[in-house]
Amino acid sequence: MTTPATPPPALLAWASRELGARPAVMNVSHRCENSRVWRLDLPGAARYYLKISPKAVMYERETLALRSAAPALGAGGAPQLRASNARDLALLLTAVPGRPLKELELSPVEEARAHRHGGALLARLHTAGDLNGPRRAEAEKAMQAAADGAEGHLSAAGGRLTAPEQRLVRQLAGELRALPPLPLAYIHGDAWGRNLMWSTARQQAGWIDFERSRAATAVQDFVLMACSTWTDRPDLRAACLQGYGRNLTAEEQHALKCLAAIDAASCLVWGPKLDNSHLTARGRRTLDRLMAGVFA
């Protein structure tokens, strides 16, 4: 699906009313079938984003996060929710300073600094959400839910995984179920270089795209980085966890390995389905490392 260059007229009119002026519009959607995001620029360099959530649950998660937990990240640490439109699943957001870390060419020292700041922001987020009542129950079931999803991924991926790879994923899913209770948190849910902003001018990090935020186990917020950025850069893993304020426990490290196997199977379903070669390559590389016994 190709995202239109401009939002639907009624939504653009709504955003214009909220902002007090009609903005200049640029389509900045990600290259995937369900991303619909437009940059809105006002005179005087004021910048906002209009986002239509792909699903109601994502709209609900992002609005909840931006209203309750994300403010703990401080000014510039996350978008501010200027307005929301539940009927159209639309959010009007302030801009976060900087650019996605994935798009920047930085020295190793500054990359580490950005990851350290990003880890510190995750630490704030993890303790900011309400984990009482139903959300605590959701968090306590998160690992079981992840393990339960493995079989569906394997079935959908079919021959993209060898028989030994399928056995390994099933084995690690079983080990995930057997782990003792791990620290719970309110997680970002999509924490990796695409969603970590870095301002070189301000030397400041910020997180965007909270549509997968939820109550879960804290270690689940490190899966995407462990399967991408950290693969070749143990220095960035160390920097992120230094900012986070602690290393992963032995049980969390094993959970990360198990979760990575399930993520890999998922990537080999959704990568080909979305014609996303990067997603497919992530899954294949993770599986290769797991089979070789070098995932850490």
Side-chain angles (χ1 to χ4, degrees):
M1 180 179 69
T2 302
T3 304
T6 59
L11 269 185
L12 182 56
W14 167 74
S16 299
R17 288 194 300 272
E18 293 291 339
L19 297 175
R22 187 176 181 86
V25 179
M26 177 181 290
N27 178 12
V28 293
S29 305
H30 293 306
R31 185 184 165 273
C32 65
E33 65 176 14
N34 58 6
S35 176
R36 290 180 291 172
V37 185
W38 296 269
R39 195 179 82 193
L40 309 180
D41 292 319
L42 295 177
R47 177 168 292 172
Y48 298 85
Y49 289 89
L50 175 61
K51 176 178 183 178
I52 301 178
S53 297
K55 300 177 181 178
V57 65
M58 291 181 168
Y59 169 84
E60 292 162 3
R61 284 177 170 174
E62 189 151 22
T63 52
L64 175 64
L66 295 178
R67 286 171 176 162
S68 61
L73 276 59
Q80 295 178 22
L81 183 62
R82 176 68 180 260
S84 60
N85 183 327
R87 183 188 63 187
D88 296 305
L89 306 182
L91 303 98
L92 186 59
L93 310 169
T94 62
V96 172
R99 291 172 55 196
L101 194 59
K102 190 177 179 181
E103 299 176 3
L104 295 173
E105 293 185 7
L106 303 174
S107 69
V109 170
E110 189 159 14
E111 278 187 285
R113 185 178 298 120
H115 278 266
R116 188 161 52 250
H117 284 225
L121 292 178
L122 288 180
R124 291 191 206 173
L125 181 70
H126 284 186
T127 59
D130 178 9
L131 291 183
N132 293 314
R135 292 196 185 93
R136 175 163 290 276
E138 178 187 7
E140 290 172 343
K141 295 175 182 176
M143 298 292 258
Q144 180 70 43
D148 289 347
E151 199 58 46
H153 298 323
L154 290 173
S155 176
R160 298 189 188 103
L161 284 80
T162 66
E165 288 170 346
Q166 292 181 24
R167 285 196 294 271
L168 179 61
V169 172
R170 288 192 177 97
Q171 174 191 327
L172 291 174
E175 292 176 9
L176 189 64
R177 293 187 181 94
L179 285 171
L182 299 177
L184 306 180
Y186 189 83
I187 68 170
H188 180 279
D190 201 14
W192 63 307
R194 191 179 75 180
N195 293 326
L196 179 57
M197 305 292 285
W198 179 250
S199 170
T200 54
R202 302 186 185 197
Q203 294 288 286
Q204 179 182 4
W207 288 101
I208 60 172
D209 284 353
F210 286 78
E211 62 191 25
R212 290 177 173 81
S213 60
R214 62 195 186 277
T217 56
V219 71
Q220 286 178 275
D221 234 358
F222 299 108
V223 174
L224 294 185
M225 288 185 284
C227 295
S228 56
T229 311
W230 293 356
T231 301
D232 300 311
R233 296 290 302 276
D235 60 318
L236 298 184
R237 180 187 189 278
C240 182
L241 293 177
Q242 182 185 35
Y244 190 64
R246 68 175 180 87
N247 288 318
L248 301 179
T249 66
E251 291 81 7
E252 285 177 311
Q253 185 60 41
H254 189 66
L256 189 61
K257 179 179 178 180
C258 299
L259 292 164
I262 297 168
D263 176 75
S266 174
C267 286
L268 293 179
V269 174
W270 290 101
K273 187 173 183 178
L274 300 176
D275 192 25
N276 187 324
S277 60
H278 295 291
L279 192 59
T280 303
R282 186 179 93 205
R284 173 43 52 200
R285 188 175 191 191
T286 299
L287 274 178
D288 289 345
R289 293 173 65 222
L290 288 166
M291 292 297 293
V294 296
F295 186 91

